[in-house]
């Protein structure tokens, strides 16, 4: 009997050792670390944190990015996890981005400046990770945020206009304080918010031109004309006290005023909610006022019903792929609030958060033209322009600045020009490469000229010539 027990135990041990552990697919919540591509500290590139919420049994899920409120340094993941997981349960691969200085991320908060690039870097890092490649649809990216996170949304879709398929901003701010009347600093921000902005940006009430330039570099409502591509929904109650309605309406209205044709900015919709509970949208057409249809978004992390009542406007279309991916116009005018990053090019002015400008561009396979006017008070500020030239690959390209040739190169990589300034016009133009016969003729001509020059220098002086 004892021998039988021992034998059974050995068999069981062998079975456990040989049979692989079965991992059950399902919901995953984890913190993923990625690096900034634009900022460093003493240890190198900033290490930044993002919480991931996804279901590893779901493949090809659209990406959703959730942005936290203003100023918090900890508790961000906890506070917005329910919102992120609601999106995960709807079918998204969700990133809750903790920008620099939050949730253990390196760096220092800068209130809507360079930190906005952390959103882009988080998305690109997840796209590039082989562990997630089968789980995501990298062409569909939805960006959403609440309060300060709503402000981050409006900034990101103007600084990166061809990055996001759809975006929603809940009671966000589109002007931290550039406008002395309607800007957030003087219209909704608490004293604690003002104290943070004074530290990060400066006091806009003192008339300092450099401070005004920094606020202008954060004014997404001035840059809203940059994005006629993303489907944009702005949600705010009519009595919103902290980030008033004008932040959403000015974003929409400034874009519409810059339209080059009727309806160009129909991609932007402002939804003004009613806290009294009298406004509903009958999404399911059942004639009933359901809790998840009430158009009411008080200033807090939305409840499940409040989130549903907003995202029902577009979520199904985003999930089924019927919202087109953004594609930049081949020619247009952009308002560069600090910097703008597109697939074909990017331009950083100053340090990325202290200047703004108007950039007209035109792109083709034979010519790329960039015309910059600095809008800031400081007209001496310059920018760094990076241009993707893969569509010109292998061709000889000449660079002219204000009509004067300054450089040439063989296209195919990114071309960088540093020092683009006020009223500068930079052109990259494909030019025919000289043929072999042309080169030989030029060499022969140069040799002949050199020979005649030498003979002239060696010839004896003629009669009457000075010795």
């Amino acid at each position: 009997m004892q021998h039988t027990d021992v034998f059974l135990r050995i068999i069981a041990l062998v079975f456990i050792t040989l049979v692989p552990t079965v991992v059950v697919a399902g919901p995953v919540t984890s913190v993923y670390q990625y690096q900034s591509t634009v900022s460093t500290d003493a240890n190198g590139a900033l290490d930044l944190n993002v919480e991931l919420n996804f279901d590893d049994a779901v493949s090809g899920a659209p990406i959703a990015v959730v942005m936290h409120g203003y100023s918090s340094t900890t508790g961000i993941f906890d506070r917005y996890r329910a919102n992120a997981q609601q999106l995960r349960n709807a079918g998204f691969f969700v990133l809750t981005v903790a920008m620099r200085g939050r949730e253990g991320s390196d760096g220092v908060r800068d209130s809507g400046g360079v930190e906005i690039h952390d959103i882009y870097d988080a998305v690109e890092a997840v796209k590039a990770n082989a562990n997630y490649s089968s789980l995501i649809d990298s062409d569909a990216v939805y960006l959403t945020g609440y309060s300060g996170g709503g402000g981050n949304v409006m900034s990101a879709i103007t600084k990166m206009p061809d990055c996001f398929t759809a975006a929603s901003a809940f009671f966000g701010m589109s002007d931290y304080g550039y406008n002395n009347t309607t800007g957030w600093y003087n219209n909704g921000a608490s004293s604690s918010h003002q104290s943070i902005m004074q530290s990060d940006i400066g006091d806009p009430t003192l008339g300092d031109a450099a401070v005004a330039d920094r606020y202008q570099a954060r004014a997404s409502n001035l840059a809203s004309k940059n994005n006629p591509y993303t489907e944009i929904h702005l949600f705010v109650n009519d009595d919103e006290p902290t980030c008033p309605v004008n932040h959403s309406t000015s974003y929409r209205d400034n874009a519409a005023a810059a339209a080059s044709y009727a309806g160009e900015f129909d991609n932007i919709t402002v939804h003004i909610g009613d806290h009294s509970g009298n406004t509903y949208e009958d999404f399911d057409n059942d004639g009933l006022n359901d809790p998840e249809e009430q158009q009411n978004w008080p200033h807090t992390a939305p409840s499940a019903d409040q989130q549903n009542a907003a995202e029902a406007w577009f979520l199904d279309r985003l999930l089924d792929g019927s919202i087109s991916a953004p594609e930049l116009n081949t020619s247009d005018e952009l308002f560069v609030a600090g910097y703008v990053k597109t697939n074909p090019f990017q331009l950083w002015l100053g340090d990325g958060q202290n200047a703004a400008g108007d950039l007209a561009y035109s792109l083709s396979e034979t010519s790329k033209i960039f015309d910059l006017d600095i809008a800031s008070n400081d007209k001496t500020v310059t920018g760094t322009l990076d241009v993707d030239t893969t569509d010109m690959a292998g061709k000889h390209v000449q660079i002219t600045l204000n009509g004067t040739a300054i450089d040439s190169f063989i296209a195919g990589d990114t071309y960088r020009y540093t020092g683009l300034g006020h009223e500068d016009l930079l052109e990259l133009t494909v030019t025919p490469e000289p043929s072999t016969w042309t080169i030989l003729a030029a060499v022969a001509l140069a040799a002949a000229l050199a020979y005649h020059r030498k003979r002239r220098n060696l010839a004896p002086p003629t009669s009457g010539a000075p010795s």
Side-chain angles (χ1 to χ4, degrees), residues 212-265:
D213 288 348
R214 291 196 287 272
Y215 277 96
Q216 189 180 30
R218 292 162 168 82
S220 61
N221 62 351
L222 300 182
S224 58
K225 69 176 184 178
N226 294 356
N227 194 334
Y229 321 107
T230 301
E231 182 168 327
I232 301 167
H233 295 266
L234 309 178
F235 300 98
V236 60
N237 275 358
D238 54 5
D239 65 342
E240 165 61 38
T242 306
C243 299
V245 172
N246 69 277
H247 285 279
S248 297
T249 55
S250 66
Y251 183 99
R252 176 200 60 199
D253 295 346
N254 287 350
S260 57
Y261 59 88
E264 181 180 10
F265 290 99

Short mmCIF file of all heavy atoms in Angstrom, two decimals, residues 212-265:
data_model
loop_
_atom_site.label_atom_id
_atom_site.label_comp_id
_atom_site.label_asym_id
_atom_site.label_seq_id
_atom_site.Cartn_x
_atom_site.Cartn_y
_atom_site.Cartn_z
N ALA A 212 3.72 86.21 -21.78
CA ALA A 212 2.63 86.15 -22.77
C ALA A 212 2.97 85.18 -23.90
O ALA A 212 2.10 84.43 -24.37
CB ALA A 212 2.37 87.54 -23.33
N ASP A 213 4.23 85.17 -24.32
CA ASP A 213 4.65 84.23 -25.37
C ASP A 213 4.50 82.79 -24.91
O ASP A 213 4.11 81.92 -25.70
CB ASP A 213 6.11 84.50 -25.76
CG ASP A 213 6.29 85.78 -26.56
OD1 ASP A 213 5.27 86.35 -27.00
OD2 ASP A 213 7.44 86.21 -26.74
N ARG A 214 4.80 82.52 -23.64
CA ARG A 214 4.67 81.15 -23.13
C ARG A 214 3.20 80.73 -23.07
O ARG A 214 2.87 79.57 -23.35
CB ARG A 214 5.35 81.03 -21.77
CG ARG A 214 6.87 81.13 -21.84
CD ARG A 214 7.55 80.63 -20.59
NE ARG A 214 7.40 81.52 -19.46
CZ ARG A 214 8.23 82.52 -19.19
NH1 ARG A 214 9.25 82.78 -19.99
NH2 ARG A 214 8.03 83.28 -18.13
N TYR A 215 2.32 81.63 -22.70
CA TYR A 215 0.89 81.29 -22.69
C TYR A 215 0.36 81.11 -24.11
O TYR A 215 -0.48 80.25 -24.37
CB TYR A 215 0.09 82.36 -21.94
CG TYR A 215 0.10 82.15 -20.44
CD1 TYR A 215 1.01 82.83 -19.63
CD2 TYR A 215 -0.79 81.27 -19.84
CE1 TYR A 215 1.03 82.63 -18.26
CE2 TYR A 215 -0.77 81.07 -18.46
CZ TYR A 215 0.14 81.75 -17.67
OH TYR A 215 0.16 81.54 -16.31
N GLN A 216 0.87 81.91 -25.05
CA GLN A 216 0.45 81.77 -26.44
C GLN A 216 0.85 80.40 -26.99
O GLN A 216 0.13 79.81 -27.79
CB GLN A 216 1.06 82.88 -27.29
CG GLN A 216 0.52 82.96 -28.71
CD GLN A 216 1.15 84.07 -29.51
OE1 GLN A 216 2.31 84.45 -29.28
NE2 GLN A 216 0.40 84.63 -30.45
N ALA A 217 2.00 79.90 -26.54
CA ALA A 217 2.48 78.60 -26.99
C ALA A 217 1.64 77.44 -26.44
O ALA A 217 1.86 76.29 -26.83
CB ALA A 217 3.94 78.41 -26.58
N ARG A 218 0.70 77.75 -25.55
CA ARG A 218 -0.18 76.74 -24.97
C ARG A 218 -1.65 76.96 -25.35
O ARG A 218 -2.52 76.24 -24.85
CB ARG A 218 -0.04 76.76 -23.44
CG ARG A 218 1.32 76.26 -22.94
CD ARG A 218 1.56 76.70 -21.50
NE ARG A 218 2.70 76.02 -20.90
CZ ARG A 218 3.96 76.37 -21.07
NH1 ARG A 218 4.26 77.41 -21.86
NH2 ARG A 218 4.94 75.71 -20.47
N ALA A 219 -1.93 77.93 -26.20
CA ALA A 219 -3.31 78.29 -26.53
C ALA A 219 -3.81 77.44 -27.69
O ALA A 219 -3.67 77.81 -28.86
CB ALA A 219 -3.40 79.78 -26.86
N SER A 220 -4.43 76.32 -27.37
CA SER A 220 -4.90 75.43 -28.43
C SER A 220 -6.07 76.02 -29.20
O SER A 220 -6.30 75.65 -30.36
CB SER A 220 -5.28 74.06 -27.85
OG SER A 220 -6.34 74.18 -26.92
N ASN A 221 -6.82 76.95 -28.59
CA ASN A 221 -7.93 77.55 -29.34
C ASN A 221 -7.41 78.43 -30.48
O ASN A 221 -8.12 78.64 -31.48
CB ASN A 221 -8.89 78.31 -28.43
CG ASN A 221 -8.23 79.48 -27.70
OD1 ASN A 221 -7.01 79.65 -27.74
ND2 ASN A 221 -9.03 80.27 -27.02
N LEU A 222 -6.18 78.92 -30.38
CA LEU A 222 -5.58 79.67 -31.49
C LEU A 222 -5.09 78.72 -32.58
O LEU A 222 -4.91 79.15 -33.73
CB LEU A 222 -4.41 80.52 -30.98
CG LEU A 222 -4.73 81.57 -29.92
CD1 LEU A 222 -3.46 82.35 -29.56
CD2 LEU A 222 -5.83 82.51 -30.38
N ALA A 223 -4.87 77.46 -32.22
CA ALA A 223 -4.32 76.48 -33.17
C ALA A 223 -5.37 75.49 -33.65
O ALA A 223 -5.03 74.53 -34.35
CB ALA A 223 -3.17 75.73 -32.51
N SER A 224 -6.63 75.71 -33.32
CA SER A 224 -7.66 74.72 -33.66
C SER A 224 -7.84 74.55 -35.16
O SER A 224 -8.30 73.49 -35.61
CB SER A 224 -9.00 75.10 -33.01
OG SER A 224 -9.42 76.38 -33.42
N LYS A 225 -7.44 75.55 -35.95
CA LYS A 225 -7.55 75.42 -37.41
C LYS A 225 -6.59 74.37 -37.96
O LYS A 225 -6.69 73.99 -39.13
CB LYS A 225 -7.27 76.76 -38.08
CG LYS A 225 -5.82 77.22 -37.99
CD LYS A 225 -5.59 78.50 -38.77
CE LYS A 225 -4.12 78.91 -38.77
NZ LYS A 225 -3.89 80.13 -39.58
N ASN A 226 -5.67 73.88 -37.13
CA ASN A 226 -4.70 72.88 -37.59
C ASN A 226 -5.34 71.53 -37.89
O ASN A 226 -4.75 70.72 -38.59
CB ASN A 226 -3.60 72.66 -36.53
CG ASN A 226 -2.73 73.87 -36.32
OD1 ASN A 226 -2.88 74.88 -37.01
ND2 ASN A 226 -1.82 73.79 -35.35
N ASN A 227 -6.53 71.29 -37.32
CA ASN A 227 -7.05 69.92 -37.37
C ASN A 227 -8.47 69.83 -37.92
O ASN A 227 -9.43 69.84 -37.15
CB ASN A 227 -6.98 69.28 -35.99
CG ASN A 227 -7.19 67.78 -36.05
OD1 ASN A 227 -7.82 67.25 -36.96
ND2 ASN A 227 -6.66 67.08 -35.06
N PRO A 228 -8.62 69.71 -39.24
CA PRO A 228 -9.93 69.39 -39.83
C PRO A 228 -10.10 67.90 -40.08
O PRO A 228 -10.99 67.50 -40.83
CB PRO A 228 -9.88 70.16 -41.16
CG PRO A 228 -8.44 70.09 -41.56
CD PRO A 228 -7.63 70.08 -40.28
N TYR A 229 -9.25 67.05 -39.46
CA TYR A 229 -9.18 65.63 -39.77
C TYR A 229 -9.81 64.75 -38.69
O TYR A 229 -10.61 63.87 -38.98
CB TYR A 229 -7.72 65.20 -39.97
CG TYR A 229 -6.88 66.20 -40.70
CD1 TYR A 229 -5.92 66.97 -40.04
CD2 TYR A 229 -7.04 66.41 -42.07
CE1 TYR A 229 -5.15 67.89 -40.70
CE2 TYR A 229 -6.27 67.34 -42.75
CZ TYR A 229 -5.33 68.09 -42.05
OH TYR A 229 -4.57 69.02 -42.72
N THR A 230 -9.39 64.94 -37.45
CA THR A 230 -9.86 64.13 -36.33
C THR A 230 -11.34 64.42 -36.06
O THR A 230 -11.76 65.57 -36.12
CB THR A 230 -9.04 64.47 -35.07
OG1 THR A 230 -7.66 64.20 -35.33
CG2 THR A 230 -9.50 63.67 -33.87
N GLU A 231 -12.13 63.39 -35.75
CA GLU A 231 -13.50 63.64 -35.30
C GLU A 231 -13.42 64.08 -33.84
O GLU A 231 -13.02 63.30 -32.97
CB GLU A 231 -14.38 62.40 -35.44
CG GLU A 231 -15.82 62.69 -35.02
CD GLU A 231 -16.81 61.61 -35.40
OE1 GLU A 231 -16.62 60.96 -36.45
OE2 GLU A 231 -17.79 61.43 -34.66
N ILE A 232 -13.79 65.33 -33.58
CA ILE A 232 -13.58 65.96 -32.28
C ILE A 232 -14.92 66.26 -31.62
O ILE A 232 -15.79 66.89 -32.22
CB ILE A 232 -12.77 67.26 -32.44
CG1 ILE A 232 -11.42 66.98 -33.11
CG2 ILE A 232 -12.58 67.95 -31.10
CD1 ILE A 232 -10.70 68.22 -33.60
N HIS A 233 -15.06 65.84 -30.35
CA HIS A 233 -16.26 66.11 -29.56
C HIS A 233 -15.84 66.78 -28.25
O HIS A 233 -15.00 66.25 -27.52
CB HIS A 233 -17.02 64.82 -29.28
CG HIS A 233 -17.58 64.18 -30.50
ND1 HIS A 233 -18.87 64.40 -30.94
CD2 HIS A 233 -17.01 63.33 -31.41
CE1 HIS A 233 -19.09 63.71 -32.05
NE2 HIS A 233 -17.97 63.06 -32.36
N LEU A 234 -16.42 67.94 -27.98
CA LEU A 234 -16.11 68.71 -26.78
C LEU A 234 -17.36 68.73 -25.89
O LEU A 234 -18.41 69.23 -26.30
CB LEU A 234 -15.68 70.12 -27.14
CG LEU A 234 -14.57 70.23 -28.20
CD1 LEU A 234 -14.25 71.69 -28.51
CD2 LEU A 234 -13.31 69.49 -27.75
N PHE A 235 -17.24 68.20 -24.68
CA PHE A 235 -18.38 68.06 -23.77
C PHE A 235 -18.21 69.00 -22.58
O PHE A 235 -17.18 68.96 -21.89
CB PHE A 235 -18.48 66.61 -23.28
CG PHE A 235 -18.69 65.62 -24.38
CD1 PHE A 235 -17.62 64.90 -24.91
CD2 PHE A 235 -19.96 65.40 -24.90
CE1 PHE A 235 -17.82 63.97 -25.93
CE2 PHE A 235 -20.16 64.47 -25.92
CZ PHE A 235 -19.09 63.76 -26.44
N VAL A 236 -19.25 69.82 -22.33
CA VAL A 236 -19.18 70.76 -21.21
C VAL A 236 -20.60 71.17 -20.83
O VAL A 236 -21.46 71.32 -21.69
CB VAL A 236 -18.33 72.00 -21.59
CG1 VAL A 236 -18.91 72.74 -22.79
CG2 VAL A 236 -18.14 72.92 -20.39
N ASN A 237 -20.84 71.34 -19.55
CA ASN A 237 -22.15 71.80 -19.09
C ASN A 237 -22.29 73.30 -19.26
O ASN A 237 -21.30 74.04 -19.23
CB ASN A 237 -22.38 71.42 -17.63
CG ASN A 237 -22.92 70.02 -17.46
OD1 ASN A 237 -23.18 69.32 -18.44
ND2 ASN A 237 -23.11 69.59 -16.22
N ASP A 238 -23.54 73.74 -19.40
CA ASP A 238 -23.78 75.17 -19.61
C ASP A 238 -23.38 76.01 -18.41
O ASP A 238 -23.11 77.21 -18.55
CB ASP A 238 -25.25 75.42 -19.99
CG ASP A 238 -26.23 74.83 -18.97
OD1 ASP A 238 -25.79 74.30 -17.93
OD2 ASP A 238 -27.45 74.89 -19.24
N ASP A 239 -23.31 75.41 -17.24
CA ASP A 239 -22.95 76.15 -16.03
C ASP A 239 -21.58 75.74 -15.48
O ASP A 239 -21.30 75.95 -14.30
CB ASP A 239 -24.01 75.96 -14.95
CG ASP A 239 -24.10 74.51 -14.47
OD1 ASP A 239 -23.60 73.61 -15.19
OD2 ASP A 239 -24.66 74.27 -13.38
N GLU A 240 -20.75 75.16 -16.33
CA GLU A 240 -19.43 74.69 -15.91
C GLU A 240 -18.64 75.83 -15.27
O GLU A 240 -18.38 76.86 -15.90
CB GLU A 240 -18.67 74.13 -17.10
CG GLU A 240 -17.17 73.93 -16.90
CD GLU A 240 -16.83 72.96 -15.79
OE1 GLU A 240 -17.55 71.95 -15.63
OE2 GLU A 240 -15.86 73.23 -15.06
N PRO A 241 -18.22 75.68 -13.99
CA PRO A 241 -17.55 76.79 -13.29
C PRO A 241 -16.03 76.83 -13.48
O PRO A 241 -15.43 77.90 -13.49
CB PRO A 241 -17.90 76.52 -11.83
CG PRO A 241 -18.03 75.03 -11.74
CD PRO A 241 -18.54 74.56 -13.08
N THR A 242 -15.40 75.66 -13.59
CA THR A 242 -13.93 75.62 -13.56
C THR A 242 -13.31 75.85 -14.93
O THR A 242 -12.35 76.61 -15.06
CB THR A 242 -13.46 74.27 -12.97
OG1 THR A 242 -14.08 74.05 -11.71
CG2 THR A 242 -11.95 74.25 -12.83
N CYS A 243 -13.84 75.19 -15.93
CA CYS A 243 -13.38 75.38 -17.31
C CYS A 243 -14.60 75.76 -18.14
O CYS A 243 -15.23 74.89 -18.77
CB CYS A 243 -12.73 74.12 -17.85
SG CYS A 243 -11.27 73.59 -16.93
N PRO A 244 -14.99 77.04 -18.12
CA PRO A 244 -16.26 77.48 -18.71
C PRO A 244 -16.43 77.12 -20.18
O PRO A 244 -15.47 76.77 -20.89
CB PRO A 244 -16.22 78.99 -18.50
CG PRO A 244 -15.31 79.20 -17.34
CD PRO A 244 -14.26 78.14 -17.47
N VAL A 245 -17.67 77.26 -20.63
CA VAL A 245 -18.07 76.87 -21.98
C VAL A 245 -17.20 77.52 -23.05
O VAL A 245 -16.93 76.91 -24.09
CB VAL A 245 -19.56 77.22 -22.21
CG1 VAL A 245 -19.95 77.00 -23.67
CG2 VAL A 245 -20.45 76.39 -21.30
N ASN A 246 -16.75 78.75 -22.81
CA ASN A 246 -16.01 79.47 -23.85
C ASN A 246 -14.74 78.74 -24.30
O ASN A 246 -14.27 78.93 -25.42
CB ASN A 246 -15.65 80.88 -23.40
CG ASN A 246 -14.60 80.91 -22.30
OD1 ASN A 246 -14.93 80.75 -21.13
ND2 ASN A 246 -13.35 81.11 -22.65
N HIS A 247 -14.19 77.88 -23.44
CA HIS A 247 -13.00 77.13 -23.84
C HIS A 247 -13.31 76.16 -24.96
O HIS A 247 -12.47 75.92 -25.85
CB HIS A 247 -12.41 76.38 -22.64
CG HIS A 247 -11.68 77.26 -21.68
ND1 HIS A 247 -10.39 77.67 -21.88
CD2 HIS A 247 -12.08 77.84 -20.52
CE1 HIS A 247 -10.00 78.45 -20.89
NE2 HIS A 247 -11.02 78.58 -20.05
N SER A 248 -14.51 75.60 -24.95
CA SER A 248 -14.93 74.69 -26.01
C SER A 248 -15.43 75.44 -27.23
O SER A 248 -15.08 75.10 -28.37
CB SER A 248 -16.01 73.74 -25.49
OG SER A 248 -15.53 72.93 -24.44
N THR A 249 -16.23 76.47 -27.01
CA THR A 249 -16.81 77.19 -28.15
C THR A 249 -15.76 78.01 -28.90
O THR A 249 -15.80 78.10 -30.13
CB THR A 249 -17.96 78.11 -27.69
OG1 THR A 249 -17.49 78.99 -26.66
CG2 THR A 249 -19.13 77.29 -27.16
N SER A 250 -14.78 78.58 -28.19
CA SER A 250 -13.75 79.35 -28.89
C SER A 250 -12.87 78.43 -29.73
O SER A 250 -12.41 78.81 -30.81
CB SER A 250 -12.90 80.15 -27.90
OG SER A 250 -12.14 79.30 -27.05
N TYR A 251 -12.64 77.21 -29.23
CA TYR A 251 -11.87 76.24 -30.02
C TYR A 251 -12.59 75.98 -31.34
O TYR A 251 -11.98 76.03 -32.42
CB TYR A 251 -11.71 74.94 -29.22
CG TYR A 251 -10.87 73.90 -29.93
CD1 TYR A 251 -9.53 73.74 -29.61
CD2 TYR A 251 -11.42 73.09 -30.91
CE1 TYR A 251 -8.75 72.79 -30.26
CE2 TYR A 251 -10.64 72.15 -31.57
CZ TYR A 251 -9.32 72.01 -31.24
OH TYR A 251 -8.55 71.08 -31.90
N ARG A 252 -13.88 75.70 -31.27
CA ARG A 252 -14.66 75.43 -32.49
C ARG A 252 -14.77 76.66 -33.37
O ARG A 252 -14.55 76.59 -34.59
CB ARG A 252 -16.06 74.95 -32.10
CG ARG A 252 -17.02 74.72 -33.27
CD ARG A 252 -18.46 74.73 -32.80
NE ARG A 252 -18.81 76.00 -32.18
CZ ARG A 252 -19.87 76.19 -31.37
NH1 ARG A 252 -20.66 75.16 -31.09
NH2 ARG A 252 -20.12 77.38 -30.87
N ASP A 253 -15.08 77.81 -32.78
CA ASP A 253 -15.36 79.01 -33.57
C ASP A 253 -14.11 79.54 -34.25
O ASP A 253 -14.17 80.03 -35.39
CB ASP A 253 -15.98 80.09 -32.67
CG ASP A 253 -17.34 79.70 -32.14
OD1 ASP A 253 -17.93 78.72 -32.67
OD2 ASP A 253 -17.82 80.34 -31.18
N ASN A 254 -12.96 79.47 -33.60
CA ASN A 254 -11.72 79.93 -34.23
C ASN A 254 -11.37 79.07 -35.43
O ASN A 254 -10.88 79.57 -36.46
CB ASN A 254 -10.57 79.92 -33.23
CG ASN A 254 -10.67 81.04 -32.21
OD1 ASN A 254 -11.49 81.94 -32.34
ND2 ASN A 254 -9.84 80.96 -31.18
N ALA A 255 -11.61 77.77 -35.31
CA ALA A 255 -11.36 76.89 -36.45
C ALA A 255 -12.29 77.22 -37.61
O ALA A 255 -11.86 77.37 -38.75
CB ALA A 255 -11.53 75.43 -36.03
N ALA A 256 -13.58 77.36 -37.29
CA ALA A 256 -14.56 77.64 -38.35
C ALA A 256 -14.27 78.96 -39.05
O ALA A 256 -14.46 79.09 -40.26
CB ALA A 256 -15.97 77.67 -37.75
N ALA A 257 -13.77 79.95 -38.30
CA ALA A 257 -13.45 81.25 -38.90
C ALA A 257 -12.30 81.17 -39.89
O ALA A 257 -12.17 82.02 -40.77
CB ALA A 257 -13.13 82.26 -37.80
N ALA A 258 -11.47 80.14 -39.75
CA ALA A 258 -10.31 79.97 -40.64
C ALA A 258 -10.59 79.01 -41.79
O ALA A 258 -9.67 78.70 -42.56
CB ALA A 258 -9.12 79.48 -39.83
N ALA A 259 -11.83 78.55 -41.91
CA ALA A 259 -12.16 77.55 -42.93
C ALA A 259 -11.92 78.10 -44.33
O ALA A 259 -12.26 79.24 -44.64
CB ALA A 259 -13.61 77.10 -42.78
N SER A 260 -11.34 77.26 -45.18
CA SER A 260 -11.12 77.66 -46.58
C SER A 260 -12.29 77.26 -47.47
O SER A 260 -12.35 77.66 -48.63
CB SER A 260 -9.83 77.02 -47.10
OG SER A 260 -9.87 75.62 -46.97
N TYR A 261 -13.22 76.49 -46.92
CA TYR A 261 -14.44 76.14 -47.65
C TYR A 261 -15.52 75.80 -46.61
O TYR A 261 -15.20 75.44 -45.47
CB TYR A 261 -14.22 74.97 -48.61
CG TYR A 261 -13.74 73.70 -47.95
CD1 TYR A 261 -14.62 72.76 -47.42
CD2 TYR A 261 -12.37 73.43 -47.86
CE1 TYR A 261 -14.18 71.61 -46.81
CE2 TYR A 261 -11.91 72.27 -47.25
CZ TYR A 261 -12.82 71.36 -46.74
OH TYR A 261 -12.37 70.22 -46.14
N ALA A 262 -16.76 75.92 -47.01
CA ALA A 262 -17.87 75.67 -46.09
C ALA A 262 -17.84 74.23 -45.58
O ALA A 262 -17.71 73.29 -46.36
CB ALA A 262 -19.20 75.96 -46.80
N GLY A 263 -17.93 74.10 -44.27
CA GLY A 263 -17.98 72.77 -43.67
C GLY A 263 -16.64 72.13 -43.40
O GLY A 263 -16.59 70.98 -42.97
N GLU A 264 -15.56 72.86 -43.63
CA GLU A 264 -14.23 72.25 -43.43
C GLU A 264 -14.06 71.75 -42.00
O GLU A 264 -13.40 70.73 -41.77
CB GLU A 264 -13.13 73.25 -43.77
CG GLU A 264 -11.73 72.64 -43.60
CD GLU A 264 -10.61 73.61 -43.94
OE1 GLU A 264 -10.88 74.81 -44.13
OE2 GLU A 264 -9.45 73.14 -44.01
N PHE A 265 -14.64 72.46 -41.04
CA PHE A 265 -14.46 72.09 -39.64
C PHE A 265 -15.73 71.53 -39.01
O PHE A 265 -15.95 71.67 -37.81
CB PHE A 265 -13.91 73.28 -38.85
CG PHE A 265 -12.49 73.60 -39.21
CD1 PHE A 265 -12.20 74.63 -40.10
CD2 PHE A 265 -11.44 72.86 -38.70
CE1 PHE A 265 -10.90 74.92 -40.47
CE2 PHE A 265 -10.13 73.13 -39.06
CZ PHE A 265 -9.86 74.17 -39.94
#
